[in-house]
Amino acid sequence: MTAAAKPLVRIRGLRKSYGAHLVLDGVDLDVAEGSVTVLLGPSGSGKSTLLRCVNHLERPDAGFVEVAGEIVGYRHQAGRLHELPAREVTRQRAQVGMVFQQFNLFPHLTVIENLVEAPVAVRGITRPHAVDRGRELLGRVGLAGRENAYPRELSGGQQQRVAIARALAMEPRLLLFDEPTSALDPELVGEVLAVIRDLAGTGMTMIVVTHEIGFAREVADTAVFLDAGRIVESGAPADVLENPRNERAQAFLSAVL
Amino acid sequence: MTSDVSARISALSEVPAALANPGSVADSPAAAETGPPTDAPTDAPPDAPTDEQLLAARLVPLRRPGQWISAGVLLVLAAMLVHTLVTNHRFEWPAVRGYFFEHSILHGLELTIWLTAAVLATGYLLGTGLAAARLSSNPILKTLSFGFVWLIRSVPMLVQLLFWYELASLYPRLSFGIPFGPEFASVKTAHLFSGILAAYVALSLDVAAFSAEIIRGGILSVPAGQVEAAQALGLGRGRIFRRIVLPQAMPAIVPASGNLLIGMLKATSIVSVIAVQDLLYSAQLIYNENFQIIPLLLVATLWYIILTTLLSIGQYFVERRYARGSNRRRQEFRELFRRNLPLFGRPAVPATPGAPTTGPLS
């Protein structure tokens, strides 16, 4: 991670509103390749919307997101941003993995079918090869041997670890986590955070929306604090978490710590 | 039910015996070991049972005499029904048997089956398209789909049938060409819209409108997160619909479709008004000549019952196919009868409160 390297993700002037409600109010953010960025902030501050703009699950009203040098969801031509057809957006999404708060595993497919579906359909990998790779990933998240279980037969922590393995199966350049432990019982949070921590160790680029302050301090390279759709605090986790200058951030952090 | 009765009888004989002779329990070795129940409140009534007696007491389920009485009433009514079916010679069962495999009846049956099949295949194909159009982001498709469904559902099926049958009086000739421009080909409407084609078109459009709503409802029952997860994985739209949304929508679509399918099987009998020789009309043709109205209506009814039964069994297997990964316990085929006709056999596992008690045949 040299200072001269172009960031993997560049977000500039991002704005988004739902009706009269302004959710993102001009967000600028860089995420360096191989780094972990944690998005903090009270609910309704725009963290999830920002994350969802990165793989175009939300369409911004203004500004742009650039991943690996490509503008997400648009093509720049003659001073205009033309919306990309669905097929192109799909291609862009394949290099960005996402893990949801509610896991969103496919309940009618077994664990291994969940992992194999996209690599076979999108990457054109042969099924046996995808199954082998899926088994390997399950071992990596500590779920070797559970490939034939259906999602509802697993605990929440196990489901979330399968969801992480499913995202990894696409070999993404970037992983997005949308409050990955918020739907879990407290005793299951640790096993999911351990998997994310391991991933950080392998140099995976990640953007994580979370309320786990301890995890943020330990794993993140950058902590970003959002309030009312703006970044009000950004920097090394130790600075942002321990010496916040912004009042809102101070109040929030003293409440959750 | 016999096990219930025996349990009740033994419970009745045991509890009074224990009450009459409390000393027998206290004298037992187990009671001697733990000592006399000294912690029992002293102001308790003298006949209050001891803890040992309560622990030894057998549980007696609440009696439901109403169930026995209503079962008895039902059995008497069923016996009366069978009795009248057998003894009332005006049902003319020999005639029913004689006409059951009559050539024209079987011919009508064949037409009913393939008309139903063709109408459902066409209707569901159109209906899937209409549902997709309604759920798309395209305002033109949305409006068209809504308008079509609104119109078709508003007009009685009989009127639609007569409209297509009488299309010739409205448009004597149908032509194919450029609007307000030259014609390439034209045909007499009366030749094109025979009774059978009018029936096919009218019924197909009807199924399309109703199945569109069933399919739309099923798709809406799939959580939005499923589509988002599939999109985030980079799956294409067609693949998401076929592999992720539709299989999860099916549990909601199948039972309602079973209703529509069976309803349509019987609704095809409406074509008798435009002289299409389906199962019912074939029976009517025969009784118009020999006046054996009841036996011939029975012949048609029995065939409809047979077809409906086969369809219900098919529906059961389709529902089981799409129950994968859901929390519903997979039903054995025998269980189908136990659950839905419990008078003919006790359930292997007692139904838990909150568990779905309705099945495919209900």
Side-chain angles (χ1 to χ4, degrees), chain A residues 42-227:
Chain A
S43 58
S45 60
K47 310 180 296 284
S48 290
T49 307
L50 176 59
L51 201 68
R52 291 159 61 83
C53 284
V54 176
N55 66 357
H56 210 56
L57 286 178
E58 300 286 349
R59 188 163 55 174
D61 299 334
F64 66 89
V65 178
E66 194 183 272
V67 175
E70 269 189 83
I71 298 196
V72 174
Y74 294 92
R75 179 172 48 88
H76 184 252
Q77 192 180 356
R80 291 176 188 203
L81 285 174
H82 297 270
E83 190 174 0
L84 288 174
R87 184 192 303 266
E88 284 296 301
V89 176
T90 297
R91 183 186 57 77
Q92 289 183 335
R93 280 181 182 140
Q95 59 178 349
V96 180
M98 185 152 183
V99 175
F100 298 85
Q101 183 177 353
Q102 299 294 340
F103 329 136
N104 293 350
L105 291 179
F106 305 131
H108 60 300
L109 301 180
T110 61
V111 164
I112 195 74
E113 286 168 342
N114 264 278
L115 265 63
V116 162
E117 178 67 25
V120 169
V122 182
R123 291 255 185 265
I125 298 168
T126 63
R127 202 167 184 86
H129 183 75
V131 168
D132 284 347
R133 173 103 179 94
R135 287 217 178 92
E136 190 188 314
L137 285 167
L138 282 178
R140 214 166 126 189
V141 299
L143 288 170
R146 300 308 305 270
E147 54 259 34
N148 293 321
Y150 281 100
R152 63 164 289 108
E153 297 162 4
L154 304 176
S155 73
Q158 289 173 327
Q159 288 190 48
Q160 193 60 299
R161 287 185 280 150
V162 172
I164 294 172
R166 179 176 72 176
L168 289 175
M170 288 297 285
E171 301 183 344
R173 296 191 63 176
L174 170 68
L175 260 184
L176 310 174
F177 291 87
D178 190 1
E179 301 202 25
T181 59
S182 296
L184 295 176
D185 291 340
E187 80 268 24
L188 303 177
V189 169
E191 64 190 54
V192 171
L193 292 182
V195 169
I196 302 174
R197 197 177 291 123
D198 283 353
L199 278 175
T202 66
M204 171 66 74
T205 314
M206 299 192 277
I207 305 177
V208 186
V209 172
T210 186
H211 294 300
E212 299 288 334
I213 303 296
F215 169 82
R217 186 181 341 218
E218 182 195 347
V219 177
D221 299 301
T222 310
V224 172
F225 191 93
L226 274 99
D227 183 49

Side-chain angles (χ1 to χ4, degrees), chain B residues 32-336:
Chain B
E33 250 176 39
T34 52
T38 48
D39 56 340
T42 47
D43 57 345
D47 59 342
T50 63
D51 288 359
E52 285 75 11
Q53 283 174 328
L54 287 173
L55 288 171
R58 195 180 287 233
L59 297 172
V60 183
L62 178 67
R63 284 181 230 174
R64 301 181 188 280
Q67 283 188 358
W68 287 96
I69 294 166
S70 48
V73 169
L74 275 177
L75 281 175
V76 170
L77 286 174
M80 284 167 70
L81 180 65
V82 171
H83 181 257
T84 181
L85 284 176
V86 171
T87 56
N88 188 340
H89 62 91
R90 292 190 199 88
F91 279 111
E92 297 189 67
W93 291 106
V96 171
R97 198 176 320 127
Y99 283 114
F100 202 68
F101 295 109
E102 175 77 25
H103 181 72
S104 69
I105 293 283
L106 292 182
H107 203 74
L109 177 71
E110 195 189 324
L111 187 136
T112 291
I113 291 173
W114 80 250
L115 181 63
T116 306
V119 158
L120 284 162
T122 314
Y124 263 80
L125 211 64
L126 273 172
T128 309
L130 284 167
R134 181 76 187 279
L135 292 171
S136 77
S137 51
N138 183 328
I140 299 159
L141 289 178
K142 264 181 150 156
T143 311
L144 272 176
S145 174
F146 176 83
F148 177 85
V149 171
W150 168 77
L151 182 68
I152 297 291
R153 290 206 303 184
S154 306
V155 182
M157 200 202 279
L158 182 58
V159 175
Q160 293 180 48
L161 185 69
L162 293 173
F163 172 82
W164 290 103
Y165 189 56
E166 300 293 337
L167 194 65
S169 61
L170 200 55
Y171 300 103
R173 295 189 74 82
L174 288 181
S175 60
F176 177 74
I178 296 167
F180 309 107
E183 288 180 5
F184 302 136
S186 85
V187 65
K188 264 194 165 167
T189 307
H191 291 172
L192 188 63
F193 276 84
S194 62
I196 190 81
L197 188 65
Y200 168 71
V201 171
L203 296 179
S204 293
L205 293 182
D206 197 76
V207 169
F210 282 94
S211 67
E213 285 298 285
I214 292 173
I215 295 165
R216 187 174 71 93
I219 291 172
L220 288 177
S221 76
V222 179
Q226 290 291 311
V227 174
E228 287 186 349
Q231 285 178 334
L233 283 168
L235 292 174
R237 277 196 297 193
R239 181 103 186 169
I240 292 175
F241 184 72
R242 273 180 292 115
R243 286 282 293 168
I244 307 301
V245 175
L246 204 54
Q248 294 187 63
M250 285 308 265
I253 292 175
V254 173
S257 293
N259 265 348
L260 183 61
L261 202 160
I262 288 167
M264 189 46 60
L265 170 75
K266 293 182 293 181
T268 53
S269 61
I270 204 174
V271 302
S272 57
V273 302
I274 55 170
V276 173
Q277 285 191 41
D278 75 323
L279 178 55
L280 182 63
Y281 194 61
S282 304
Q284 287 173 335
L285 284 181
I286 299 174
Y287 71 62
N288 282 342
E289 283 180 14
N290 64 12
F291 302 106
Q292 291 192 301
I293 297 173
I294 294 293
L296 280 152
L297 285 179
L298 280 173
V299 166
T301 303
L302 287 174
W303 275 117
Y304 282 118
I305 289 176
I306 289 170
L307 291 178
T308 304
T309 307
L310 291 176
L311 289 175
S312 299
I313 293 171
Q315 182 184 346
Y316 161 78
F317 282 106
V318 174
E319 278 183 15
R320 199 171 70 163
R321 166 78 177 74
Y322 284 104
R324 279 193 309 167
S326 82
N327 57 348
R328 270 180 293 178
R329 198 162 55 87
R330 266 176 84 117
Q331 282 184 28
E332 290 301 317
F333 191 53
R334 268 178 326 205
E335 190 74 348
L336 182 70

